[in-house]
Amino acid sequence: MMTHTKINDFVVKFANTNGTGSASANTMFAKAIMRMGVPVSAKNIFPSNIQGAPTWYEVRINERDFLARRAGKCDIVVAMNAQTYSLDVSDVIDNGYFLYDSSKPLSDTLTSQNIHYLGIPIADICRKEFNNPRQRQLFKNVIYLGALAALLGIEFNVIKTLISEQFKTKEKLISANIYALELGHQYAINHFSCPLDYQIQRRDLINNRIMVNGNTACALGAIYGGATVVGWYPITPSTSVVDAFANYCQRLRVDPASGKKNYAIVQAEDELAAIGIAIGGGFNGARAFTATSGPGISLMAEFLGLAYFAEIPVVLMNIQRAGPSTGMPTRTQQSDILACAYASHGDTKHILLFPDSPHECFELSAMAFDLADRLQTPVIIMSDLDLGMNDHLTAPMQWNDKHKYDHGKILSMRELDSLLSFGRYRDVDGDGICYRTIAGTHPTKGAFFTRGTSRNQDAVYSEKSSDYVANMQRLERKFDSAKSYLPKPQVISNDTPSDVALIYFGTTSQAITEAVYLLKAQGINVNLMRIRAFPFQSQVATFINNHAKVFVIEQNRDAQMRTLLMSELNLAPDNLLSIVNYDGLSIPAQAIVDGVVTHCNQQQEVS
Amino acid sequence: MSFAKSTFHHKGLPKNELGLTYRDYEGALSTLCAGCGHDSISAAIVHACHELSIEPHTIVKMSGIGCSSKAPNYFLNNAHGFNTVHGRMPSVTTGANMANQHLTYLAMSGDGDSASIGLGQFAHVVRRQLNMVYMVANNGVYGLTKGQLAATSDKGVKNKAGEMSLFNDIDLCCMALQLGASFVARCFSGDKRQLVPILKAAISHQGFAFIDIISPCVTFNNHPDSTRSYDYVQQHVTAGAITDYVPIKEEITSVAGDGEYDDICLHDGSVLRIKKLDQNYDASNRLTAMIDIEEHKKRGEILTGLLYVDPTARSFHDINETSQTPLNQLQQDVLCPGERVLASINKSLR
């Protein structure tokens, strides 16, 4: 077989069994590469199951920072689940490697492929070296990690340091893990020609980037944004947002003198109650949020309508997964766009934010609390499973101590004193955003009745048509005012003029740099716009109108963002083309390239 | 007929410690049917809050949807109110309470709101031991949708249209007891003498206080086939005890040796004095309270009064060990860990 050396540009996939403790070893593998200064990304591909089902972890190493999921087969598969051997063998690229546990011989049917086999008797080694059954299981993962270090040229000390850091409070575990690591490392050196033709070589391409998942970053954003009240109900893939929030609160939000908590987290009975709690907190002047996923959004729709109409600040973090219904709970999608933009009955619209990295998960989550207070309405963070649950290489989270929370138009006791009269829904400033008061502020001024029913501008129940219409028009005005507070779209124009453009948002961003590179190689130059918020600012319409072909790239079947753009910007269908990917896995650059090229070819054939 | 409420205050109206008359505790003019039991509840709330000398603006009025949930409009004009969505008042009250534990949360709900669409939220707010007064104005009928049977309607009774309730009723007092409420009472809206002291005690109680208030619907459930009509309730009501509320600053006279009285000291030092009509009635026993309710029901009677109280109960914030400063008043310097901490978090992620 021909071999050619691949440096810092390949994909390694680990096939494991759910619940066998492989996650920490696999994460260390990715992190070791990062610490060698080489860009890396990792995707968990896991089932909706606790234990026993197949799970994969796909690591892409690419020193050009192409870190989206690579389409097609993998270069190296570390196959630790006999159940999926045949699938895993077929997933190896020609001339690639299949590393497996050779304690049991591989079936003949699996050995006819044009790939290299690396058998390590891992179970036998563990049986010989460790007495404890749990250790025998766990150290299998550390042994293949040690072997990979030798096979790929990963600096052994880097992994040793990672192990020491991971078990820094459990000294005994450090030496045992390092022993297992050495067993694998030595076996590889003794039995194979190390390193292979796939190699990691030290670079200096990481700069100050960090590796973190989006849910942790959202949780930290909520801490920095000043959230104190959380109502939530566990649902994959959003659960870790509140888990992380709780963990950081224990560290950062407990008063050292009194030991009292400067936060309250209520695990509610369901999603309806979860957002109800957050809305109650927002109504009463606290910064409050909930986190959920698609099925939770369906249940929360009623309350979102109330918060919109009664004008109550609340933040909702929606970590999207594949729908509809229960869908694929552990697979990713961007398919809640329309459900969130228009959640609830009646003419309802909500503010949406689309983070594309953990860095932005932090930034937009913190910002969301200012926006919700300023605009007195729900603000929904549109993350997804890929962003939320996978570790990503990202710019460090940033906070400026000079930034002061924007609590919006809240009247204090003194301000109420100076007013002749107060009306909760009077548009005093003409921006559609009214002044509010918090319960308990003033003995005789400022109290009002919040309700989801129609009312006049003084918050008095009213079914008068004129009151209703004036209120609805003001809410529309407020939605328009919101645009000036929202993050602007990011426009990246090409050096050369182009009539082709890509619009994308959220995690689809990961594939863009690579797609642009691949398209350029085929002679297609594209301009780019990344949407960061809904409602859409005027730049979005301008950008679309300035290009002959605009592809909207998204991860759902029905091109929901395209629909939203057409509907909100009053665009004809012909103006926008669609590239969608909805198989539950994150979109690879090749899918974008194929979509653009196919359309361009069709156009040529027609002309 | 005028729909504007008179602003005239009689100069001789008695003033409380804050110098306020009961009219300072009133709300908007009621739009409920004339004779609605819910208006009697509103009046009792006005009196209870006035007599307790609570500053009206330190109360938050919460409700769901239905006739009962409209009622908070009709008391305490200087308090914030929130008419939420059907059956979901408990969660919103939970959030509001999380934001500021030092306000008084008076919640009005109805039989549909709490025993049907909101049964789940009702159950869980009891479990959470939220410090609030949860009143159900229970008329056994859906008023706003014109007369459908409610889940609290007794099995076998008929609504105005003649439709019979075929299924067992839900007794919210029994549910509240079973779920751990630390204050459970049942009252009749027509008996202000009983309702006002119980309301006062419920407001003083630091924990979850539940009051099921039989509140007849004059329009849809005041007919001979109803067990929630004025006539039926007046004829079948049995008081388990007469409750007096003795505020903290009033002298409590000794009742030693008199087996008819129980004095229960609440968290704030106020006292609940219970005069037992039934010598065996023990308001500190959760289990016997449930049995008593059921036994009276078997006889077609409605047991009223303070059914159970645990004056030592701990509420959510005690259990959660929440900061004494209301969470909605914590400032950015306390809440935001700042750049330096973030730099160290970033460092730990490299």
Side-chain angles (χ1 to χ4, degrees):
Chain A
M1 282 185 283
M2 291 286 291
T3 58
H4 59 286
T5 304
K6 281 192 179 179
I7 312 294
N8 296 339
D9 182 13
F10 52 93
V11 173
V12 182
K13 191 173 189 177
F14 298 82
N16 295 104
T17 309
N18 219 9
T20 52
S22 55
S24 65
N26 296 349
T27 306
M28 268 190 264
F29 173 78
K31 208 154 187 183
I33 294 165
M34 175 183 83
R35 290 211 177 165
M36 285 180 67
V38 179
V40 61
S41 68
K43 311 271 184 214
N44 283 292
I45 302 160
F46 61 107
S48 178
N49 190 63
I50 303 297
Q51 206 169 47
T55 177
W56 290 271
Y57 184 77
E58 195 174 295
V59 180
R60 184 170 186 193
I61 301 128
N62 187 287
E63 61 180 32
R64 277 188 295 197
D65 261 314
F66 297 161
L67 295 177
R69 192 171 60 87
R70 195 182 75 180
K73 297 182 176 190
C74 307
D75 297 285
I76 300 164
V77 169
V78 179
M80 291 296 133
N81 183 359
Q83 232 187 321
T84 58
Y85 268 2
S86 65
L87 189 66
D88 295 332
V89 163
S90 68
D91 208 15
V92 182
I93 205 163
D94 278 359
N95 289 325
Y97 290 85
F98 184 78
L99 192 160
Y100 68 103
D101 185 350
S102 60
S103 304
K104 285 183 185 166
L106 208 57
S107 153
D108 291 344
T109 58
L110 298 171
T111 55
S112 56
Q113 306 291 318
N114 190 25
I115 59 176
H116 306 282
Y117 289 85
L118 303 169
I120 304 177
I122 296 179
D124 285 346
I125 296 172
C126 283
R127 245 192 313 275
K128 193 172 138 231
E129 299 285 345
F130 306 105
N131 294 324
N132 179 311
R134 183 67 183 149
Q135 282 188 336
R136 282 178 177 170
Q137 175 57 51
L138 286 174
F139 286 137
K140 281 184 186 174
N141 309 310
V142 187
I143 287 172
Y144 69 66
L145 184 61
L148 283 172
L151 292 165
L152 304 178
I154 300 170
E155 292 167 19
F156 196 68
N157 271 339
V158 171
I159 301 185
K160 266 172 75 174
T161 308
L162 281 166
I163 283 179
S164 304
E165 286 171 12
Q166 175 146 349
F167 301 110
K168 62 184 169 199
T169 53
K170 299 166 187 166
E171 193 64 35
K172 271 187 190 169
L173 288 177
I174 295 176
S175 50
N177 271 279
I178 289 176
Y179 180 63
L181 196 67
E182 280 168 344
L183 287 172
H185 196 254
Q186 204 52 48
Y187 187 93
I189 287 170
N190 293 345
H191 294 83
F192 309 120
S193 165
C194 293
L196 305 175
D197 45 341
Y198 287 92
Q199 290 171 26
I200 308 291
Q201 285 183 9
R202 186 170 270 280
R203 297 282 188 271
D204 188 14
L205 300 168
I206 299 299
N207 300 319
N208 63 347
R209 279 184 286 181
I210 58 172
M211 190 181 267
V212 67
N213 64 67
N215 284 357
T216 301
C218 280
L220 278 162
I223 297 250
Y224 274 74
T228 53
V229 174
V230 181
W232 74 295
Y233 187 75
I235 179 171
T236 302
S238 73
T239 305
S240 56
V241 172
V242 181
D243 284 346
F245 182 80
N247 287 337
Y248 280 110
C249 276
Q250 279 162 19
R251 275 172 52 190
L252 303 169
R253 283 281 188 77
V254 177
D255 181 61
S258 63
K260 298 284 187 184
K261 295 175 183 170
N262 288 330
Y263 64 96
I265 301 171
V266 182
Q267 184 182 324
E269 57 271 30
D270 52 36
E271 282 92 345
L272 292 90
I275 193 165
I277 288 164
I279 286 171
F283 152 77
N284 223 7
R287 295 194 150 191
F289 79 93
T290 187
T292 194
S293 187
I297 293 291
S298 295
L299 291 176
M300 291 176 179
E302 178 194 44
F303 256 135
L304 282 168
L306 173 76
Y308 170 80
F309 199 49
E311 301 183 61
I312 296 165
V314 66
V315 173
L316 196 166
M317 296 179 188
N318 178 21
I319 318 302
Q320 298 167 89
R321 68 190 211 187
S325 189
T326 314
M328 293 197 286
T330 58
R331 302 301 158 108
T332 199
Q333 250 177 23
Q334 297 173 307
S335 52
D336 300 343
I337 296 162
L338 292 171
C340 286
Y342 302 128
S344 200
H345 50 272
D347 292 324
T348 313
K349 286 184 186 182
H350 303 293
I351 309 288
L352 310 181
L353 302 175
F354 299 98
D356 78 332
S357 62
H359 168 84
E360 221 174 54
C361 282
F362 175 86
E363 182 189 341
L364 297 188
S365 294
M367 181 195 283
F369 293 94
D370 278 350
L371 290 171
D373 271 359
R374 164 59 47 186
L375 301 166
Q376 300 170 29
T377 199
V379 174
I380 308 177
I381 308 274
M382 301 291 284
S383 179
D384 60 27
L385 180 141
D386 179 27
L387 180 53
M389 290 189 74
N390 287 325
D391 282 336
H392 296 263
L393 210 52
T394 186
M397 294 173 275
Q398 280 180 310
W399 180 261
N400 185 342
D401 282 341
K402 286 183 187 150
H403 174 79
K404 295 295 165 222
Y405 292 164
D406 178 1
H407 288 293
K409 299 180 182 180
I410 298 178
L411 294 175
S412 67
M413 185 172 178
R414 215 172 54 185
E415 287 165 330
L416 281 166
D417 268 333
S418 68
L419 287 178
L420 283 176
S421 68
F422 164 75
R424 167 66 177 103
Y425 298 109
R426 294 181 197 169
D427 190 2
V428 178
D429 302 324
D431 59 358
I433 308 167
C434 306
Y435 287 81
R436 66 179 179 133
T437 58
I438 307 298
T441 302
H442 196 285
T444 55
K445 282 182 172 177
F448 65 95
F449 209 70
T450 303
R451 48 160 64 84
T453 38
S454 180
R455 70 273 157 153
N456 66 18
Q457 60 175 2
D458 291 331
V460 176
Y461 179 76
S462 168
E463 291 182 11
K464 269 171 73 178
S465 301
S466 54
D467 282 339
Y468 175 80
V469 170
N471 191 36
M472 293 301 284
Q473 286 177 343
R474 182 184 55 75
L475 285 169
E476 205 171 28
R477 203 153 58 241
K478 179 166 87 164
F479 205 64
D480 196 49
S481 299
K483 292 173 189 172
S484 63
Y485 296 99
L486 299 177
K488 300 275 180 290
Q490 188 183 17
V491 182
I492 304 165
S493 292
N494 216 319
D495 298 336
T496 45
S498 172
D499 62 353
V500 181
L502 309 182
I503 284 185
Y504 58 98
F505 57 96
T507 40
T508 44
S509 311
Q510 290 173 39
I512 293 299
T513 322
E514 186 179 3
V516 169
Y517 172 86
L518 294 172
L519 283 168
K520 204 167 192 169
Q522 299 195 38
I524 303 171
N525 290 319
V526 290
N527 287 337
L528 307 170
M529 170 176 269
R530 180 165 72 88
I531 289 173
R532 299 172 74 204
F534 173 74
F536 305 120
Q537 289 105 333
S538 58
Q539 295 96 319
V540 179
T542 308
F543 180 84
I544 293 169
N545 290 329
N546 284 346
H547 292 87
K549 295 190 191 97
V550 179
F551 293 87
V552 183
I553 299 149
E554 49 191 315
Q555 303 185 66
N556 59 67
R557 186 193 66 183
D558 293 345
Q560 295 187 24
M561 180 61 90
R562 177 175 173 264
T563 300
L564 195 61
L565 286 163
M566 288 194 308
S567 140
E568 292 290 324
L569 301 176
N570 204 19
L571 299 170
D574 295 349
N575 287 19
L576 291 172
L577 302 158
S578 182
I579 294 173
V580 297
N581 182 82
Y582 52 94
D583 59 1
L585 300 170
S586 58
I587 189 169
Q590 196 59 50
I592 298 168
V593 173
D594 292 347
V596 174
V597 170
T598 304
H599 179 83
C600 291
N601 289 344
Q602 280 170 355
Q603 290 290 97
Q604 273 176 355
E605 281 168 24
V606 171
S607 59
Chain B
M1 185 178 171
S2 166
F3 289 95
K5 195 165 186 168
S6 163
T7 53
F8 173 74
H9 277 217
H10 196 287
K11 282 182 183 167
L13 287 179
K15 291 183 175 173
N16 63 14
E17 286 175 22
L18 301 171
L20 302 175
T21 73
Y22 78 87
R23 297 223 53 185
D24 295 309
Y25 290 81
E26 286 182 342
L29 190 71
S30 173
T31 60
L32 297 170
C33 309
C36 177
H38 299 2
D39 283 335
S40 307
I41 301 171
S42 296
I45 292 169
V46 166
H47 279 267
C49 293
H50 174 248
E51 287 170 18
L52 284 175
S53 293
I54 303 181
E55 292 181 279
H57 74 292
T58 62
I59 293 172
V60 185
K61 307 174 292 184
M62 305 297 295
S63 65
I65 295 288
C67 294
S68 61
S69 297
K70 283 168 166 269
N73 247 322
Y74 314 133
F75 54 85
L76 296 166
N77 256 347
N78 282 323
H80 272 65
F82 197 163
N83 196 180
T84 64
V85 281
H86 208 186
R88 326 274 185 238
M89 173 274 287
S91 62
V92 182
T93 309
T94 301
N97 190 304
M98 294 304 102
N100 188 347
Q101 57 172 305
H102 297 320
L103 299 175
T104 299
Y105 295 88
L106 288 187
M108 275 285 268
S109 182
D111 37 57
D113 200 56
S114 280
S116 288
I117 187 168
L119 192 64
Q121 295 221 343
F122 170 74
H124 286 272
V125 79
V126 182
R127 279 187 68 228
R128 281 196 286 271
Q129 303 184 45
L130 202 71
N131 183 16
M132 69 181 289
V133 179
Y134 193 123
M135 294 167 278
V136 168
N138 187 349
N139 55 18
V141 76
Y142 283 70
L144 276 182
T145 48
K146 303 198 172 175
Q148 296 78 18
L149 289 159
T152 58
S153 302
D154 291 319
K155 188 176 177 179
V157 301
K158 288 180 181 168
N159 68 2
K160 203 173 172 182
E163 186 191 351
M164 186 186 285
S165 177
L166 302 174
F167 308 108
N168 292 330
D169 68 296
I170 289 172
D171 189 310
L172 291 169
C173 282
C174 284
M175 273 197 77
L177 284 163
Q178 196 275 325
L179 292 162
S182 49
F183 183 111
V184 178
R186 175 166 281 144
C187 295
F188 172 40
S189 65
D191 185 354
K192 202 170 166 184
R193 246 185 85 236
Q194 181 191 49
L195 183 54
V196 172
I198 284 182
L199 271 169
K200 286 157 76 176
I203 292 168
S204 282
H205 178 70
Q206 295 297 300
F208 186 82
F210 178 69
I211 316 175
D212 184 42
I213 309 171
I214 309 297
S215 175
C217 171
V218 285
T219 305
F220 292 107
N221 211 9
N222 200 28
H223 50 86
D225 290 330
S226 166
T227 54
R228 293 286 184 275
S229 65
Y230 274 109
D231 285 348
Y232 185 90
V233 177
Q234 266 156 356
Q235 285 156 18
H236 295 83
V237 75
T238 306
I242 292 174
T243 311
D244 273 339
Y245 175 83
V246 186
I248 183 170
K249 288 172 191 164
E250 277 184 26
E251 185 191 1
I252 302 160
T253 52
S254 168
V255 291
D258 185 347
E260 279 199 337
Y261 289 92
D262 258 354
D263 276 354
I264 299 167
C265 187
L266 300 176
H267 270 292
D268 63 359
S270 309
V271 168
L272 266 181
R273 172 162 296 171
I274 300 171
K275 183 183 178 187
K276 294 179 181 178
L277 295 182
D278 175 350
Q279 289 308 298
N280 295 321
Y281 197 80
D282 177 5
S284 67
N285 191 324
R286 187 184 297 278
L287 206 61
T288 54
M290 284 194 254
I291 294 167
D292 278 335
I293 293 169
E294 290 296 336
E295 283 184 347
H296 279 81
K297 193 183 284 178
K298 257 192 235 167
R299 299 200 291 268
E301 292 169 359
I302 304 163
L303 179 65
T304 60
L306 179 68
L307 303 171
Y308 174 74
V309 63
D310 172 9
T312 64
R314 297 174 76 213
S315 66
F316 177 92
H317 285 288
D318 298 329
I319 298 162
N320 187 54
E321 299 185 328
T322 317
S323 145
Q324 273 302 303
T325 309
L327 296 179
N328 67 358
Q329 288 166 28
L330 292 172
Q331 298 299 307
Q332 183 171 349
D333 57 344
V334 173
L335 296 175
C336 183
E339 282 178 32
R340 196 178 51 79
V341 171
L342 193 60
S344 76
I345 292 171
N346 279 327
K347 196 177 165 196
S348 73
L349 297 168
R350 289 200 172 101

